[in-house]
Amino acid sequence: MHDLLHGVWHLEKGILFTLKETVIRPGQAALDYIKGKRIRYYNVFYLALLVIGLNVILLHLKDNYIEITAETVKNSQNKLNEFVFKNSKIILFCIVPIFSLNAKLLFRRLKLNIAEHLIIGGITLLGLLVISAFLFLFSYLTLVFDSDIFGFGKVVFFILILLFPAWSYFDATKKLYTFWRFLYRIICFYLLTLIQFLIIIAFISVIILKKYYNGFDVDF
């Protein structure tokens, strides 16, 4: 909430331009940023914090609309949700180094160092957060109005979230790879990212279990 309010009261023209470029041409926008053409751009990582704040507010609207009783939610799930909520910024920004390392490995023709790949990863994260905001908004509107139109919108934005990393890196590498060479690399990119996220989720789950179920004799 603090980050979001600060951004609202210090709204700059660069924010709107950066959001537009992030959605329309994320890869090229990242390359422009890397080349030093940053005058028109707002700070990507700070803007990501603002959009995270917006997502949190929209998610709260959705959750507050749904009546959840203590009997319908398991305690372990509550603890996991609490952990994710308290560490949401850290978890979300973990996406950036994961994307960067995978892109460094697979898209070598970009000839970028890891710090420059972090810029592409940051803009990709920003795009994902912007689309997620619309997904949460449509989820809330679906609950309020019970309309198939908003339900269809949820599906569309969910698909866009899945495809946005591919669009971001395609936009950055379209002059360097043929379509089929890019397709092979982006499939490997998604597989690597999925494996890494599964490892992270398993690691977090182990931490939660060890912290809240010390009474069980579990062989980790």
Side-chain angles (χ1 to χ4, degrees):
M1 178 62 77
H2 174 268
D3 292 332
L4 186 62
L5 289 176
H6 180 80
V8 169
W9 291 115
H10 295 82
L11 185 63
E12 299 178 11
K13 184 179 179 181
I15 291 181
L16 300 178
F17 176 78
T18 305
L19 290 174
K20 177 180 74 69
E21 292 292 287
T22 295
V23 174
I24 296 176
R25 51 191 296 274
Q28 294 302 310
L31 294 178
D32 287 345
Y33 202 89
I34 290 168
K35 293 175 182 177
K37 302 176 182 178
R38 305 177 183 180
I39 296 177
R40 301 182 65 186
Y41 289 95
Y42 193 79
N43 184 287
V44 172
F45 293 98
Y46 187 75
L47 184 53
L49 288 175
L50 302 183
V51 182
I52 289 174
L54 177 61
N55 276 277
V56 169
I57 290 175
L58 292 172
L59 188 59
H60 270 297
L61 285 175
K62 175 189 172 185
D63 290 344
N64 289 338
Y65 191 86
I66 302 173
E67 183 178 357
I68 302 178
T69 62
E71 292 77 18
T72 59
V73 181
K74 294 181 180 180
N75 185 57
S76 60
Q77 183 179 349
N78 282 338
K79 297 300 182 182
L80 181 59
N81 290 341
E82 180 183 350
F83 178 87
V84 171
F85 180 78
K86 287 184 177 180
N87 299 277
S88 59
K89 291 180 182 179
I90 297 175
I91 293 172
L92 286 170
F93 277 105
C94 283
I95 295 174
V96 176
I98 289 174
F99 281 0
S100 303
L101 290 172
N102 293 343
K104 175 70 174 174
L105 176 66
L106 294 168
F107 300 110
R108 296 183 180 180
R109 290 186 183 179
L110 281 172
K111 297 180 180 179
L112 301 176
N113 58 44
I114 192 65
E116 292 167 335
H117 273 289
L118 287 172
I119 299 298
I120 301 179
I123 287 185
T124 303
L125 171 63
L126 178 59
L128 290 171
L129 291 169
V130 171
I131 299 172
S132 296
F134 283 99
L135 176 63
F136 291 142
L137 176 61
F138 273 76
S139 298
Y140 173 68
L141 293 176
T142 301
L143 292 171
V144 174
F145 297 104
D146 193 22
S147 171
D148 293 336
I149 296 178
F150 296 119
F152 177 74
K154 284 171 54 181
V155 175
V156 170
F157 284 110
F158 180 75
I159 294 174
L160 289 176
I161 288 173
L162 293 179
L163 296 180
F164 188 79
W167 164 238
S168 182
Y169 284 100
F170 174 77
D171 191 50
T173 63
K174 58 187 177 184
K175 297 179 181 179
L176 303 174
Y177 297 101
T178 64
F179 174 78
W180 296 110
R181 287 180 181 272
F182 172 79
L183 182 63
Y184 163 74
R185 283 168 173 77
I186 202 64
I187 290 174
C188 292
F189 179 89
Y190 273 93
L191 288 175
L192 280 174
T193 303
L194 176 62
I195 292 170
Q196 290 157 346
F197 271 112
L198 289 176
I199 293 172
I200 291 172
I201 292 171
F203 180 73
I204 293 175
S205 299
V206 168
I207 293 176
I208 297 295
L209 288 172
K210 281 188 174 182
K211 185 174 182 180
Y212 294 102
Y213 293 95
N214 288 328
F216 291 93
D217 185 15
V218 182
D219 184 8
F220 291 99

